């Protein structure tokens, strides 16, 4: 596991200077269990670092800040893993990891584009990585190891990137499907609302039409009743008018007859006749008219 940057180093900067020769720092066989990263970083002109034959099981996360290193010897330790950001040592040209307990390398290892020499023998490497590393028995094989391992790690990184892209594409497809499903549901809900609105509108229009039809029927009935009433009134008025006319006519006749009788009475009286045929007929007619009335 990575160690905290704030842990107190096991050796001082002066101790490191005592083990420094030009650009080389030799801290091999110092029984170190922690790497003095801060002190090493302050000596950036020391580009060759030998940490072999110590007691390291892991390297701290901030080890990758030693970006000035050109050569690094970590052989004969007990390293089980390298930091995930180990690839930040972009200037590294020579790396000795002989006789550790490594099984795999971090994905960032593919970023060590300047690496020209690598020794991985004496580790419990996974079969494919071990095949790429080879035996590393001489200088030539160690150079080939660097080339082949970098190629292998780049292929792994490319495969990992393809898997990542496939996963991202899968997530995008799933997201698109969810969005399409959501949009489909929204469209269906909108369609149902429109259909429900249309159905209510049709029901309302049917109800209005029914009410209008009932109103028209009632109006027709009222008109028929009014017409019947008007006919009755008109008929009654006509009957009354005819009755009044008949009464008026008969009254006039009676008046005329009465006038005639008056003249006849005078005429008969002046003639000295008590029984006048004309008077008798007039009286008969008067009696008949009185009966009729």
């Amino acid at each position: 596991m990575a160690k905290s940057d704030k842990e107190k180093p096991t050796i001082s900067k002066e101790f490191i200077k005592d083990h420094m020769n030009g650009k080389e720092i030799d801290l091999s066989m110092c029984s170190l269990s922690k790497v003095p990263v801060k002190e090493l970083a302050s000596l950036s002109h020391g580009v060759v670092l030998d940490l072999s034959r110590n007691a390291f099981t892991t390297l701290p996360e901030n080890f990758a800040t030693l970006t000035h290193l050109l050569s690094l010897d970590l052989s004969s330790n007990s390293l089980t893993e390298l930091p995930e950001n180990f690839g930040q040592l972009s200037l590294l040209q020579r790396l000795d990891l002989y006789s550790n307990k490594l099984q795999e390398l971090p994905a960032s290892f593919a970023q060590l584009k300047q690496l020209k020499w690598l020794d991985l023998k004496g580790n419990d490497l996974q079969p494919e990585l071990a095949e790429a590393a080879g035996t590393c028995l001489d200088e030539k094989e160690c150079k080939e190891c660097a080339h082949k391992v970098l190629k292998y790690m780049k292929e792994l990184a490319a495969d990992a990137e393809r898997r990542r892209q496939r996963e991202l594409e899968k997530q995008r497809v799933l997201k698109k499907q969810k969005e399409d499903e959501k949009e489909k549901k929204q469209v269906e809900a909108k369609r149902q609302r429109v259909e429900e609105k249309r159905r209510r509108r049709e029901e309302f229009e049917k109800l209005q039409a029914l009410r209008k039809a009932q109103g028209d029927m009632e109006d027709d009935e009222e008109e028929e009743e009014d017409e019947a009433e008007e006919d009755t009134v008109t008929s009654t008025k006509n009957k009354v008018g005819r009755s009044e006319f008949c009464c008026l006519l008969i009254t006039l006749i009676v008046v005329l007859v009465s006038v005639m009788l008056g003249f006849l009475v005078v005429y008969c009286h002046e003639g000295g006749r008590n029984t006048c045929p004309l008077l008798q007929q007039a009286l008969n007619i008067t009696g008949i008219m009185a009966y009729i009335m």
Side-chain angles (χ1 to χ4, degrees):
M1 294 180 61
K3 303 300 181 181
S4 171
D5 297 346
K6 297 182 179 181
E7 288 183 352
K8 185 177 180 180
T10 56
I11 56 177
S12 64
K13 184 176 181 179
E14 288 71 19
F15 179 85
I16 296 174
K17 286 182 177 181
D18 291 340
H19 290 74
M20 188 172 182
N21 182 15
K23 295 182 178 181
E24 298 182 8
I25 300 176
D26 186 0
L27 297 178
S28 62
M29 296 182 292
C30 291
S31 300
L32 299 176
S33 59
K34 300 176 183 178
V35 180
V37 176
K38 184 177 180 181
E39 286 70 24
L40 290 170
S42 65
L43 300 171
S44 59
H45 57 285
V47 295
V48 178
L49 177 61
D50 187 352
L51 295 173
S52 63
R53 297 178 178 84
N54 282 289
F56 303 128
T57 57
T58 60
L59 298 178
E61 194 72 19
N62 64 342
F63 187 85
T65 60
L66 302 176
T67 55
H68 60 280
L69 293 178
L70 300 178
S71 177
L72 176 62
D73 190 347
L74 290 168
S75 62
S76 300
N77 281 283
S78 298
L79 294 172
T80 58
E81 61 180 358
L82 297 179
E84 287 297 326
N85 59 353
F86 191 81
Q88 293 180 10
L89 302 175
S90 57
L91 299 180
L92 199 61
Q93 300 177 10
R94 183 183 181 92
L95 177 61
D96 194 343
L97 293 171
Y98 164 73
S99 188
N100 279 280
K101 297 181 180 180
L102 298 173
Q103 295 183 352
E104 59 184 5
L105 299 175
S108 65
F109 199 91
Q111 300 173 13
L112 300 177
K113 298 179 180 181
Q114 302 299 321
L115 193 64
K116 301 294 187 296
W117 192 98
L118 176 63
D119 190 351
L120 280 172
K121 65 178 177 290
N123 286 279
D124 299 326
L125 301 177
Q126 293 180 353
E128 292 182 355
L129 179 58
E131 182 180 355
T135 56
C136 297
L137 296 177
D138 54 32
E139 189 76 9
K140 180 180 178 180
E141 288 185 355
C142 286
K143 290 181 179 180
E144 290 179 353
C145 175
H147 174 73
K148 290 180 178 179
V149 168
L150 281 179
K151 181 179 178 181
Y152 171 76
M153 294 304 298
K154 289 178 180 178
E155 291 175 353
L156 284 184
D159 290 341
E161 179 62 20
R162 284 192 290 270
R163 287 194 299 271
R164 190 180 73 85
Q165 291 297 332
R166 284 196 296 269
E167 184 63 25
L168 289 175
E169 181 62 23
K170 183 179 178 181
Q171 293 176 3
R172 284 194 292 268
V173 170
L174 290 175
K175 183 179 179 180
K176 183 67 167 55
Q177 289 177 348
K178 291 180 179 179
E179 290 176 351
D180 291 344
E181 186 66 22
K182 182 179 179 181
E183 183 178 359
K184 184 178 179 181
K185 289 180 179 180
Q186 290 176 346
V187 171
E188 179 62 20
K190 183 178 180 180
R191 187 194 65 79
Q192 291 179 357
R193 289 194 299 269
V194 171
E195 182 65 21
E196 178 64 18
K197 185 176 180 180
R198 184 191 63 79
R199 185 186 63 80
R200 291 198 302 266
R201 184 173 62 250
E202 288 181 352
E203 291 180 353
F204 176 77
E205 290 176 352
K206 288 179 180 179
L207 181 61
Q208 290 293 96
L210 180 61
R211 289 177 177 176
K212 187 176 184 303
Q214 291 176 349
D216 292 342
M217 291 177 63
E218 291 176 356
D219 291 342
D220 291 341
E221 291 177 355
E222 290 178 358
E223 289 179 0
E224 290 177 358
E225 291 177 357
D226 292 342
E227 290 177 357
E229 185 177 352
E230 290 178 359
D231 292 342
T232 302
V233 171
T234 303
S235 177
T236 303
K237 288 181 178 180
N238 289 337
K239 289 180 180 179
V240 171
R242 285 195 296 271
S243 297
E244 291 178 350
F245 176 75
C246 291
C247 291
L248 180 60
L249 180 61
I250 292 171
T251 302
L252 289 174
I253 292 172
V254 170
V255 170
L256 290 174
V257 171
S258 298
V259 171
M260 290 176 63
L261 286 175
F263 281 115
L264 288 173
V265 170
V266 172
Y267 173 73
C268 290
H269 179 69
E270 289 179 355
R273 290 177 287 185
N274 294 327
T275 60
C276 181
L278 292 174
L279 181 59
Q280 187 63 40
Q281 291 179 1
L283 291 172
N284 291 337
I285 294 171
T286 303
I288 292 170
M289 292 181 66
Y291 176 76
I292 292 173
M293 293 178 67

